[in-house]
Amino acid sequence: MSKKVNKKRQAYVQKQEKQGQKVVLWIMVALILLALAYAFYAIHNMF
């Protein structure tokens, strides 16, 4: 029984790691897009 629980726990941890990496990736993409949008906005308000 213990081996079965350990396998499930390990699978859960791996699943969480993958989901966490996706979340971090999307946060980074969102920050980059916001930075680009702000740069575009700032450049066009100079003139």
Side-chain angles (χ1 to χ4, degrees):
M1 189 74 156
S2 179
K3 290 181 183 180
K4 204 178 218 183
V5 172
N6 284 338
K7 284 183 181 180
K8 283 186 178 182
R9 186 175 292 150
Q10 189 176 14
Y12 177 75
V13 168
Q14 288 176 348
K15 182 180 175 183
Q16 289 295 99
E17 285 178 5
K18 285 182 183 179
Q19 287 179 343
Q21 289 174 352
K22 284 183 183 179
V23 169
V24 170
L25 176 67
W26 279 108
I27 289 172
M28 295 300 289
V29 168
L31 287 173
I32 291 170
L33 290 175
L34 286 171
L36 291 173
Y38 178 74
F40 184 77
Y41 171 78
I43 288 172
H44 283 285
N45 275 346
M46 292 174 76
F47 302 111

